[in-house]
Amino acid sequence: MTHWMPQQICWLIAALAVASLTALSEALPFLYTNARAPINWTQPELAEWRIEAQPRSITPLIELRRHVNRTNNAPADSDAEFLERLQALKQNRSSARMLWYDAAVGDGLTYPPFVDKALKLFNLKQVAFEIENSVMSKVSCTACKAGAGLLQHYIKSGKTEAELMKMIAQYCTNLSIQSPRVCEGVAQLFGSEVIYVLQRVNLGPDELCSFIIGDGCGDVYNPYHEWEVVFPPVPKPPRLAELPMPLEGAPFFKVLHISDTHYDPHYVEGANADCNEPLCCRLSSGRPANPNAAAGKWGDYRKCDTPKRTVDNMLAHIAETHKDIDYILWTGDLPPHDVWNQTKQENLEIIKETVKQMTEMFPGVPIFPALGNHESAPVNSFPPPYVNQVDISINWLYDELDVQWRRWLPQSVSHTVRRGAFYSVLVRPGFRIISLNMNYCNNKNWWLLLNSTDPATELQWFIYELQSAEFSNEKVHVIGHIPPGHSDCLKVWSRNFYKIISRYESTITAQFYGHTHFDEFEMFYDPHDLTHANSIAYIGPSVSPYYDLNPGYRIYYVDGDHDMTTRLVIDHESWIMNLKEANLYGYPIWYKLYTARAAYNMKALRPNDWDKLLNELTDNQELFEMYYKNYWKNSPARPTCDAECKKRMLCDCKSGRSHDRRHFCADVESKIDEGSSKSWKSWFYRGLTNSYSLISSITYLPKYLLGYG
């Protein structure tokens, strides 16, 4: 993720927003005009790419292995017999795999009238806080509109790219938004991309900031970014009244989930951990002002990423403790948070080094990776395939990913990896993993402003894979980096994704993401029946302690190969290292923080079981406090959580569709508000009773003080 992830672009806008207050005195014409030059909008020409013509993974990638410490590890039949029995369950043997894609539908795009609201004063400190925590309000929205409007004005007035980037760096430095070198780096790395995009779009500040910030900036209608995926004319299978529970004692897969490593090769023990930049604990961070400001040996709770020794120690611990891992989910974000001075070459080196390390630590174990938002340079920059100029194309990253991921993935996925860093692999007979590039839903990916319509045709390809899986009676696990319900996911993309999950709820049995760095989950419901939970997304904890967190990873137990398999997650464990104790005693100890079913008293981990837990978390404060501890990975640096914090967290769990909190969260918020009122009254009366009892117990006080005399 992270907390700092959207900052780089927003800093530019914040700096320009303050400048716009000065410019207001000059009555800049762009602030008040309704005029908008007409534009002939055409869809970017896409390379000829037919989804149905691409090769598919149809041979199971994993061969079952016997683990001596398991009593249920032997499949009942051979792969061929198991597959034949699965095929016999198919209701429609004759259905062919097809792609339903309506290429004849035009874009029909028209521009709404442009009305720029008058600038308002705003609090820069609040803007900075909201940017840091990815929680945007009207304050950040106002700053965004002011900055975007001014930048567009300067572009139209003919200022050169060099002049614009110099101006951005100067404002950033003079307003002390960041240190001079960070301001300069941000301007150089991101300025060119932002200017390139804004020169080619005809959106006003209202539309731009609604796109970037989301519901914190209003739901502005924007016909450029309204689109729908096309579903095949195949009826949705009837849903079951209740999903069956996985059989106890049946074969299972043990799965490791690692996310958000953010390995920092420049981490230095004893360096300043309390610097004024987005990433500290480096020689360049300066000397610590006092011993408490020094970076710890194994990491730090402040804005510092993961030192190499911590990554090494964690992987060695996993290899020793979990010798029976069947496969690994690796959901991205490998480079550190020094996004103001990263280069493509440095990020590629980190990718190569970490892939090599994973291969050596887990020989023979299949690894299924997903792409994070930090792998690109600059961060969040993922141009769709139609942006094919050599200097700005993303091919430099996707081509290398294809080479590195080929260690674990079959040859058949090369086409989609090189096109958009997504793929589909048959793991076992009747069981498939689909890895999505969630950066095509990232609203900090400014390239999507040019055209956000299903970038790289990823969602249409996703539908094709799911329909093929449905025809083949396969169950599917989906992996990615940014959770689709997170505020960093573009609303229109998330809305389409939500429909896909609902349509294929009988095929998709679990989803796995990272990005937030917290230990949490996200719910999906039938859009037409919000009482019916139809999918669960597991959001794994980060390895990086950035920030205020303990390092962690997850272990899942997935229903394995047998006649009645559901391919559901049977249970999961979260493992952490107490960073404070590791730095204090000089050596880390990794331990199991909790097991989901035992901690939350769940009889299974089906979507409806998670929905019940969500209701219990709303009503049961003691249970919520346990969830809150696990959410922060038992960090001693975690803040207290009031009613507003509780509403935000549980609403995050409820909302698998981004920027639509009002639709999902009214019941949760009203229950918490009601509970907070009762809790306050209970606390007040309990306090009075306890105080009276205490005074009454002091027998030597004069009776008249107690009202008896």
Side-chain angles (χ1 to χ4, degrees), residues 454-493:
D454 193 11
T457 332
E458 180 180 32
L459 288 184
Q460 208 64 56
W461 167 87
F462 185 41
I463 290 173
Y464 175 71
E465 284 293 322
L466 290 172
Q467 188 60 63
S468 298
E470 183 179 280
F471 285 154
S472 301
N473 200 40
E474 295 170 356
K475 300 300 183 183
V476 172
H477 284 185
V478 179
I479 68 173
H481 181 66
I482 301 174
H486 193 272
S487 60
D488 288 339
C489 188
L490 193 62
K491 182 175 182 177
V492 64
W493 198 100

mmCIF file of all heavy atoms in Angstrom, residues 454-493:
data_model
loop_
_atom_site.group_PDB
_atom_site.id
_atom_site.type_symbol
_atom_site.label_atom_id
_atom_site.label_comp_id
_atom_site.label_asym_id
_atom_site.label_seq_id
_atom_site.Cartn_x
_atom_site.Cartn_y
_atom_site.Cartn_z
ATOM 1 N N ASP A 454 -12.326 -0.582 -18.711
ATOM 2 C CA ASP A 454 -11.749 -1.924 -18.624
ATOM 3 C C ASP A 454 -10.333 -1.983 -19.186
ATOM 4 O O ASP A 454 -10.078 -2.616 -20.219
ATOM 5 C CB ASP A 454 -12.637 -2.930 -19.351
ATOM 6 C CG ASP A 454 -12.260 -4.382 -19.028
ATOM 7 O OD1 ASP A 454 -11.470 -4.595 -18.093
ATOM 8 O OD2 ASP A 454 -12.751 -5.282 -19.724
ATOM 9 N N PRO A 455 -9.379 -1.340 -18.508
ATOM 10 C CA PRO A 455 -7.998 -1.307 -19.022
ATOM 11 C C PRO A 455 -7.458 -2.709 -19.298
ATOM 12 O O PRO A 455 -7.664 -3.638 -18.515
ATOM 13 C CB PRO A 455 -7.223 -0.625 -17.885
ATOM 14 C CG PRO A 455 -8.251 0.175 -17.158
ATOM 15 C CD PRO A 455 -9.516 -0.623 -17.239
ATOM 16 N N ALA A 456 -6.789 -2.840 -20.431
ATOM 17 C CA ALA A 456 -6.189 -4.108 -20.878
ATOM 18 C C ALA A 456 -7.244 -5.204 -21.074
ATOM 19 O O ALA A 456 -6.908 -6.381 -21.169
ATOM 20 C CB ALA A 456 -5.105 -4.589 -19.914
ATOM 21 N N THR A 457 -8.516 -4.825 -21.120
ATOM 22 C CA THR A 457 -9.635 -5.769 -21.272
ATOM 23 C C THR A 457 -9.583 -6.837 -20.177
ATOM 24 O O THR A 457 -10.014 -7.975 -20.375
ATOM 25 C CB THR A 457 -9.618 -6.442 -22.663
ATOM 26 O OG1 THR A 457 -9.001 -5.576 -23.604
ATOM 27 C CG2 THR A 457 -11.024 -6.740 -23.148
ATOM 28 N N GLU A 458 -9.087 -6.455 -19.010
ATOM 29 C CA GLU A 458 -8.856 -7.426 -17.938
ATOM 30 C C GLU A 458 -10.154 -8.016 -17.406
ATOM 31 O O GLU A 458 -10.258 -9.243 -17.215
ATOM 32 C CB GLU A 458 -8.084 -6.763 -16.791
ATOM 33 C CG GLU A 458 -7.794 -7.707 -15.629
ATOM 34 C CD GLU A 458 -7.026 -7.034 -14.507
ATOM 35 O OE1 GLU A 458 -7.210 -5.812 -14.286
ATOM 36 O OE2 GLU A 458 -6.237 -7.726 -13.843
ATOM 37 N N LEU A 459 -11.159 -7.189 -17.139
ATOM 38 C CA LEU A 459 -12.396 -7.712 -16.560
ATOM 39 C C LEU A 459 -13.170 -8.563 -17.560
ATOM 40 O O LEU A 459 -13.806 -9.551 -17.171
ATOM 41 C CB LEU A 459 -13.267 -6.564 -16.041
ATOM 42 C CG LEU A 459 -12.763 -5.871 -14.769
ATOM 43 C CD1 LEU A 459 -13.750 -4.825 -14.291
ATOM 44 C CD2 LEU A 459 -12.475 -6.884 -13.659
ATOM 45 N N GLN A 460 -13.128 -8.189 -18.847
ATOM 46 C CA GLN A 460 -13.796 -9.022 -19.839
ATOM 47 C C GLN A 460 -13.109 -10.386 -19.951
ATOM 48 O O GLN A 460 -13.755 -11.424 -20.087
ATOM 49 C CB GLN A 460 -13.813 -8.307 -21.187
ATOM 50 C CG GLN A 460 -14.969 -8.690 -22.087
ATOM 51 C CD GLN A 460 -16.334 -8.309 -21.503
ATOM 52 O OE1 GLN A 460 -16.575 -7.149 -21.185
ATOM 53 N NE2 GLN A 460 -17.221 -9.281 -21.356
ATOM 54 N N TRP A 461 -11.774 -10.362 -19.874
ATOM 55 C CA TRP A 461 -11.013 -11.621 -19.835
ATOM 56 C C TRP A 461 -11.361 -12.417 -18.579
ATOM 57 O O TRP A 461 -11.506 -13.653 -18.615
ATOM 58 C CB TRP A 461 -9.517 -11.305 -19.866
ATOM 59 C CG TRP A 461 -8.625 -12.462 -19.521
ATOM 60 C CD1 TRP A 461 -8.145 -13.421 -20.359
ATOM 61 C CD2 TRP A 461 -8.095 -12.769 -18.216
ATOM 62 N NE1 TRP A 461 -7.356 -14.314 -19.660
ATOM 63 C CE2 TRP A 461 -7.305 -13.941 -18.351
ATOM 64 C CE3 TRP A 461 -8.211 -12.176 -16.964
ATOM 65 C CZ2 TRP A 461 -6.647 -14.517 -17.273
ATOM 66 C CZ3 TRP A 461 -7.556 -12.755 -15.882
ATOM 67 C CH2 TRP A 461 -6.780 -13.916 -16.044
ATOM 68 N N PHE A 462 -11.519 -11.722 -17.452
ATOM 69 C CA PHE A 462 -11.877 -12.347 -16.175
ATOM 70 C C PHE A 462 -13.221 -13.072 -16.301
ATOM 71 O O PHE A 462 -13.376 -14.224 -15.851
ATOM 72 C CB PHE A 462 -11.936 -11.263 -15.099
ATOM 73 C CG PHE A 462 -12.166 -11.745 -13.695
ATOM 74 C CD1 PHE A 462 -11.547 -12.879 -13.210
ATOM 75 C CD2 PHE A 462 -13.000 -11.033 -12.838
ATOM 76 C CE1 PHE A 462 -11.746 -13.312 -11.901
ATOM 77 C CE2 PHE A 462 -13.204 -11.444 -11.537
ATOM 78 C CZ PHE A 462 -12.581 -12.586 -11.072
ATOM 79 N N ILE A 463 -14.188 -12.418 -16.936
ATOM 80 C CA ILE A 463 -15.496 -13.044 -17.151
ATOM 81 C C ILE A 463 -15.348 -14.298 -18.013
ATOM 82 O O ILE A 463 -15.945 -15.344 -17.731
ATOM 83 C CB ILE A 463 -16.468 -12.045 -17.812
ATOM 84 C CG1 ILE A 463 -16.848 -10.938 -16.819
ATOM 85 C CG2 ILE A 463 -17.720 -12.748 -18.325
ATOM 86 C CD1 ILE A 463 -17.667 -9.818 -17.429
ATOM 87 N N TYR A 464 -14.542 -14.200 -19.063
ATOM 88 C CA TYR A 464 -14.320 -15.347 -19.946
ATOM 89 C C TYR A 464 -13.725 -16.523 -19.166
ATOM 90 O O TYR A 464 -14.161 -17.673 -19.323
ATOM 91 C CB TYR A 464 -13.401 -14.944 -21.091
ATOM 92 C CG TYR A 464 -13.003 -16.076 -21.999
ATOM 93 C CD1 TYR A 464 -13.922 -16.649 -22.866
ATOM 94 C CD2 TYR A 464 -11.705 -16.580 -21.981
ATOM 95 C CE1 TYR A 464 -13.563 -17.698 -23.692
ATOM 96 C CE2 TYR A 464 -11.332 -17.629 -22.802
ATOM 97 C CZ TYR A 464 -12.267 -18.188 -23.657
ATOM 98 O OH TYR A 464 -11.914 -19.232 -24.474
ATOM 99 N N GLU A 465 -12.738 -16.248 -18.323
ATOM 100 C CA GLU A 465 -12.119 -17.316 -17.526
ATOM 101 C C GLU A 465 -13.119 -17.921 -16.547
ATOM 102 O O GLU A 465 -13.154 -19.138 -16.343
ATOM 103 C CB GLU A 465 -10.909 -16.758 -16.774
ATOM 104 C CG GLU A 465 -9.683 -16.549 -17.631
ATOM 105 C CD GLU A 465 -9.105 -17.859 -18.136
ATOM 106 O OE1 GLU A 465 -9.110 -18.856 -17.379
ATOM 107 O OE2 GLU A 465 -8.642 -17.894 -19.290
ATOM 108 N N LEU A 466 -13.947 -17.076 -15.920
ATOM 109 C CA LEU A 466 -14.916 -17.579 -14.954
ATOM 110 C C LEU A 466 -16.020 -18.393 -15.634
ATOM 111 O O LEU A 466 -16.470 -19.408 -15.099
ATOM 112 C CB LEU A 466 -15.521 -16.409 -14.172
ATOM 113 C CG LEU A 466 -14.574 -15.708 -13.196
ATOM 114 C CD1 LEU A 466 -15.217 -14.447 -12.636
ATOM 115 C CD2 LEU A 466 -14.161 -16.636 -12.062
ATOM 116 N N GLN A 467 -16.442 -17.947 -16.807
ATOM 117 C CA GLN A 467 -17.463 -18.700 -17.517
ATOM 118 C C GLN A 467 -16.922 -20.058 -17.969
ATOM 119 O O GLN A 467 -17.595 -21.080 -17.882
ATOM 120 C CB GLN A 467 -17.983 -17.909 -18.721
ATOM 121 C CG GLN A 467 -19.183 -18.536 -19.398
ATOM 122 C CD GLN A 467 -20.366 -18.676 -18.445
ATOM 123 O OE1 GLN A 467 -20.899 -17.672 -17.955
ATOM 124 N NE2 GLN A 467 -20.772 -19.907 -18.163
ATOM 125 N N SER A 468 -15.685 -20.057 -18.430
ATOM 126 C CA SER A 468 -15.048 -21.323 -18.800
ATOM 127 C C SER A 468 -14.928 -22.242 -17.590
ATOM 128 O O SER A 468 -15.142 -23.447 -17.684
ATOM 129 C CB SER A 468 -13.661 -21.050 -19.401
ATOM 130 O OG SER A 468 -13.752 -20.279 -20.574
ATOM 131 N N ALA A 469 -14.568 -21.641 -16.432
ATOM 132 C CA ALA A 469 -14.467 -22.430 -15.201
ATOM 133 C C ALA A 469 -15.830 -22.984 -14.796
ATOM 134 O O ALA A 469 -15.937 -24.136 -14.344
ATOM 135 C CB ALA A 469 -13.886 -21.568 -14.083
ATOM 136 N N GLU A 470 -16.876 -22.179 -14.965
ATOM 137 C CA GLU A 470 -18.224 -22.653 -14.630
ATOM 138 C C GLU A 470 -18.625 -23.829 -15.516
ATOM 139 O O GLU A 470 -19.160 -24.832 -15.038
ATOM 140 C CB GLU A 470 -19.217 -21.508 -14.785
ATOM 141 C CG GLU A 470 -20.642 -21.861 -14.401
ATOM 142 C CD GLU A 470 -21.573 -20.667 -14.547
ATOM 143 O OE1 GLU A 470 -21.589 -19.807 -13.643
ATOM 144 O OE2 GLU A 470 -22.275 -20.586 -15.576
ATOM 145 N N PHE A 471 -18.336 -23.716 -16.819
ATOM 146 C CA PHE A 471 -18.636 -24.815 -17.733
ATOM 147 C C PHE A 471 -17.865 -26.079 -17.340
ATOM 148 O O PHE A 471 -18.365 -27.199 -17.500
ATOM 149 C CB PHE A 471 -18.263 -24.438 -19.163
ATOM 150 C CG PHE A 471 -19.217 -23.477 -19.817
ATOM 151 C CD1 PHE A 471 -18.775 -22.642 -20.829
ATOM 152 C CD2 PHE A 471 -20.543 -23.401 -19.443
ATOM 153 C CE1 PHE A 471 -19.639 -21.753 -21.453
ATOM 154 C CE2 PHE A 471 -21.418 -22.520 -20.048
ATOM 155 C CZ PHE A 471 -20.974 -21.691 -21.060
ATOM 156 N N SER A 472 -16.636 -25.901 -16.836
ATOM 157 C CA SER A 472 -15.774 -27.041 -16.506
ATOM 158 C C SER A 472 -15.940 -27.513 -15.071
ATOM 159 O O SER A 472 -15.187 -28.376 -14.614
ATOM 160 C CB SER A 472 -14.304 -26.660 -16.750
ATOM 161 O OG SER A 472 -14.099 -26.280 -18.085
ATOM 162 N N ASN A 473 -16.888 -26.911 -14.358
ATOM 163 C CA ASN A 473 -17.139 -27.280 -12.963
ATOM 164 C C ASN A 473 -15.906 -27.045 -12.080
ATOM 165 O O ASN A 473 -15.610 -27.820 -11.173
ATOM 166 C CB ASN A 473 -17.590 -28.734 -12.856
ATOM 167 C CG ASN A 473 -18.304 -29.015 -11.542
ATOM 168 O OD1 ASN A 473 -19.086 -28.190 -11.063
ATOM 169 N ND2 ASN A 473 -18.023 -30.155 -10.944
ATOM 170 N N GLU A 474 -15.179 -25.981 -12.367
ATOM 171 C CA GLU A 474 -14.008 -25.613 -11.568
ATOM 172 C C GLU A 474 -14.394 -24.581 -10.511
ATOM 173 O O GLU A 474 -15.247 -23.728 -10.748
ATOM 174 C CB GLU A 474 -12.912 -25.017 -12.464
ATOM 175 C CG GLU A 474 -12.338 -25.980 -13.474
ATOM 176 C CD GLU A 474 -11.430 -25.288 -14.484
ATOM 177 O OE1 GLU A 474 -11.312 -24.035 -14.448
ATOM 178 O OE2 GLU A 474 -10.850 -25.998 -15.320
ATOM 179 N N LYS A 475 -13.736 -24.661 -9.371
ATOM 180 C CA LYS A 475 -13.824 -23.620 -8.355
ATOM 181 C C LYS A 475 -12.603 -22.714 -8.501
ATOM 182 O O LYS A 475 -11.523 -23.157 -8.895
ATOM 183 C CB LYS A 475 -13.882 -24.211 -6.949
ATOM 184 C CG LYS A 475 -15.089 -25.123 -6.714
ATOM 185 C CD LYS A 475 -16.406 -24.396 -6.913
ATOM 186 C CE LYS A 475 -17.591 -25.303 -6.599
ATOM 187 N NZ LYS A 475 -18.889 -24.636 -6.863
ATOM 188 N N VAL A 476 -12.785 -21.438 -8.152
ATOM 189 C CA VAL A 476 -11.752 -20.440 -8.417
ATOM 190 C C VAL A 476 -11.431 -19.648 -7.160
ATOM 191 O O VAL A 476 -12.332 -19.236 -6.418
ATOM 192 C CB VAL A 476 -12.212 -19.472 -9.539
ATOM 193 C CG1 VAL A 476 -11.240 -18.299 -9.687
ATOM 194 C CG2 VAL A 476 -12.350 -20.211 -10.870
ATOM 195 N N HIS A 477 -10.128 -19.431 -6.926
ATOM 196 C CA HIS A 477 -9.655 -18.457 -5.950
ATOM 197 C C HIS A 477 -9.080 -17.269 -6.724
ATOM 198 O O HIS A 477 -8.330 -17.456 -7.689
ATOM 199 C CB HIS A 477 -8.585 -19.051 -5.042
ATOM 200 C CG HIS A 477 -9.131 -19.965 -3.989
ATOM 201 N ND1 HIS A 477 -8.342 -20.533 -3.010
ATOM 202 C CD2 HIS A 477 -10.397 -20.388 -3.742
ATOM 203 C CE1 HIS A 477 -9.094 -21.280 -2.222
ATOM 204 N NE2 HIS A 477 -10.346 -21.212 -2.647
ATOM 205 N N VAL A 478 -9.436 -16.061 -6.290
ATOM 206 C CA VAL A 478 -8.967 -14.830 -6.931
ATOM 207 C C VAL A 478 -7.939 -14.173 -6.032
ATOM 208 O O VAL A 478 -8.168 -14.033 -4.816
ATOM 209 C CB VAL A 478 -10.144 -13.864 -7.187
ATOM 210 C CG1 VAL A 478 -9.649 -12.569 -7.820
ATOM 211 C CG2 VAL A 478 -11.196 -14.520 -8.079
ATOM 212 N N ILE A 479 -6.794 -13.772 -6.605
ATOM 213 C CA ILE A 479 -5.780 -13.059 -5.827
ATOM 214 C C ILE A 479 -5.472 -11.729 -6.508
ATOM 215 O O ILE A 479 -5.633 -11.570 -7.713
ATOM 216 C CB ILE A 479 -4.493 -13.884 -5.630
ATOM 217 C CG1 ILE A 479 -3.748 -14.067 -6.963
ATOM 218 C CG2 ILE A 479 -4.801 -15.236 -5.003
ATOM 219 C CD1 ILE A 479 -2.371 -14.722 -6.804
ATOM 220 N N GLY A 480 -5.047 -10.762 -5.720
ATOM 221 C CA GLY A 480 -4.686 -9.449 -6.234
ATOM 222 C C GLY A 480 -4.037 -8.642 -5.126
ATOM 223 O O GLY A 480 -3.774 -9.154 -4.035
ATOM 224 N N HIS A 481 -3.802 -7.371 -5.393
ATOM 225 C CA HIS A 481 -3.146 -6.539 -4.385
ATOM 226 C C HIS A 481 -4.135 -5.595 -3.704
ATOM 227 O O HIS A 481 -4.425 -5.738 -2.522
ATOM 228 C CB HIS A 481 -1.996 -5.745 -5.003
ATOM 229 C CG HIS A 481 -1.269 -4.889 -3.999
ATOM 230 N ND1 HIS A 481 -0.542 -5.431 -2.963
ATOM 231 C CD2 HIS A 481 -1.189 -3.543 -3.856
ATOM 232 C CE1 HIS A 481 -0.031 -4.457 -2.222
ATOM 233 N NE2 HIS A 481 -0.424 -3.295 -2.741
ATOM 234 N N ILE A 482 -4.678 -4.628 -4.425
ATOM 235 C CA ILE A 482 -5.604 -3.662 -3.835
ATOM 236 C C ILE A 482 -6.978 -4.317 -3.679
ATOM 237 O O ILE A 482 -7.546 -4.799 -4.651
ATOM 238 C CB ILE A 482 -5.722 -2.408 -4.716
ATOM 239 C CG1 ILE A 482 -4.359 -1.731 -4.891
ATOM 240 C CG2 ILE A 482 -6.726 -1.418 -4.123
ATOM 241 C CD1 ILE A 482 -4.374 -0.557 -5.863
ATOM 242 N N PRO A 483 -7.538 -4.347 -2.467
ATOM 243 C CA PRO A 483 -8.884 -4.916 -2.312
ATOM 244 C C PRO A 483 -9.895 -4.094 -3.115
ATOM 245 O O PRO A 483 -9.838 -2.862 -3.120
ATOM 246 C CB PRO A 483 -9.148 -4.798 -0.804
ATOM 247 C CG PRO A 483 -7.798 -4.648 -0.176
ATOM 248 C CD PRO A 483 -6.960 -3.918 -1.178
ATOM 249 N N PRO A 484 -10.824 -4.755 -3.793
ATOM 250 C CA PRO A 484 -11.755 -4.028 -4.667
ATOM 251 C C PRO A 484 -12.684 -3.076 -3.936
ATOM 252 O O PRO A 484 -13.241 -2.164 -4.550
ATOM 253 C CB PRO A 484 -12.541 -5.150 -5.356
ATOM 254 C CG PRO A 484 -12.340 -6.351 -4.501
ATOM 255 C CD PRO A 484 -11.005 -6.207 -3.864
ATOM 256 N N GLY A 485 -12.875 -3.258 -2.626
ATOM 257 C CA GLY A 485 -13.720 -2.346 -1.865
ATOM 258 C C GLY A 485 -12.966 -1.201 -1.223
ATOM 259 O O GLY A 485 -13.577 -0.334 -0.580
ATOM 260 N N HIS A 486 -11.641 -1.153 -1.394
ATOM 261 C CA HIS A 486 -10.821 -0.110 -0.772
ATOM 262 C C HIS A 486 -11.021 1.221 -1.484
ATOM 263 O O HIS A 486 -11.316 1.275 -2.675
ATOM 264 C CB HIS A 486 -9.351 -0.524 -0.813
ATOM 265 C CG HIS A 486 -8.462 0.305 0.045
ATOM 266 N ND1 HIS A 486 -7.874 1.469 -0.389
ATOM 267 C CD2 HIS A 486 -8.051 0.142 1.328
ATOM 268 C CE1 HIS A 486 -7.141 1.989 0.581
ATOM 269 N NE2 HIS A 486 -7.235 1.199 1.637
ATOM 270 N N SER A 487 -10.831 2.310 -0.761
ATOM 271 C CA SER A 487 -11.032 3.640 -1.336
ATOM 272 C C SER A 487 -10.044 3.942 -2.455
ATOM 273 O O SER A 487 -10.280 4.862 -3.248
ATOM 274 C CB SER A 487 -10.912 4.710 -0.245
ATOM 275 O OG SER A 487 -9.630 4.675 0.364
ATOM 276 N N ASP A 488 -8.958 3.170 -2.553
ATOM 277 C CA ASP A 488 -8.002 3.372 -3.642
ATOM 278 C C ASP A 488 -8.463 2.733 -4.947
ATOM 279 O O ASP A 488 -7.793 2.883 -5.964
ATOM 280 C CB ASP A 488 -6.629 2.791 -3.261
ATOM 281 C CG ASP A 488 -5.917 3.623 -2.212
ATOM 282 O OD1 ASP A 488 -6.261 4.802 -2.063
ATOM 283 O OD2 ASP A 488 -5.018 3.085 -1.533
ATOM 284 N N CYS A 489 -9.573 1.999 -4.918
ATOM 285 C CA CYS A 489 -10.071 1.339 -6.120
ATOM 286 C C CYS A 489 -11.141 2.200 -6.783
ATOM 287 O O CYS A 489 -12.089 2.648 -6.127
ATOM 288 C CB CYS A 489 -10.634 -0.040 -5.779
ATOM 289 S SG CYS A 489 -11.057 -1.041 -7.236
ATOM 290 N N LEU A 490 -10.973 2.416 -8.068
ATOM 291 C CA LEU A 490 -11.870 3.262 -8.848
ATOM 292 C C LEU A 490 -13.316 2.754 -8.752
ATOM 293 O O LEU A 490 -13.577 1.570 -8.904
ATOM 294 C CB LEU A 490 -11.400 3.262 -10.302
ATOM 295 C CG LEU A 490 -11.975 4.299 -11.251
ATOM 296 C CD1 LEU A 490 -11.635 5.703 -10.795
ATOM 297 C CD2 LEU A 490 -11.433 4.050 -12.651
ATOM 298 N N LYS A 491 -14.235 3.678 -8.528
ATOM 299 C CA LYS A 491 -15.623 3.304 -8.266
ATOM 300 C C LYS A 491 -16.237 2.499 -9.405
ATOM 301 O O LYS A 491 -16.875 1.461 -9.168
ATOM 302 C CB LYS A 491 -16.457 4.563 -8.008
ATOM 303 C CG LYS A 491 -17.908 4.269 -7.679
ATOM 304 C CD LYS A 491 -18.660 5.526 -7.304
ATOM 305 C CE LYS A 491 -20.108 5.204 -6.935
ATOM 306 N NZ LYS A 491 -20.841 6.401 -6.488
ATOM 307 N N VAL A 492 -16.063 2.939 -10.647
ATOM 308 C CA VAL A 492 -16.712 2.248 -11.761
ATOM 309 C C VAL A 492 -16.108 0.860 -11.963
ATOM 310 O O VAL A 492 -16.820 -0.095 -12.285
ATOM 311 C CB VAL A 492 -16.632 3.095 -13.056
ATOM 312 C CG1 VAL A 492 -15.189 3.286 -13.517
ATOM 313 C CG2 VAL A 492 -17.459 2.469 -14.171
ATOM 314 N N TRP A 493 -14.807 0.715 -11.758
ATOM 315 C CA TRP A 493 -14.160 -0.600 -11.865
ATOM 316 C C TRP A 493 -14.681 -1.523 -10.769
ATOM 317 O O TRP A 493 -15.035 -2.679 -11.024
ATOM 318 C CB TRP A 493 -12.654 -0.428 -11.760
ATOM 319 C CG TRP A 493 -11.824 -1.576 -12.247
ATOM 320 C CD1 TRP A 493 -11.195 -1.674 -13.446
ATOM 321 C CD2 TRP A 493 -11.511 -2.794 -11.532
ATOM 322 N NE1 TRP A 493 -10.516 -2.874 -13.536
ATOM 323 C CE2 TRP A 493 -10.688 -3.576 -12.381
ATOM 324 C CE3 TRP A 493 -11.838 -3.290 -10.284
ATOM 325 C CZ2 TRP A 493 -10.198 -4.823 -11.998
ATOM 326 C CZ3 TRP A 493 -11.360 -4.545 -9.904
ATOM 327 C CH2 TRP A 493 -10.544 -5.290 -10.756
#
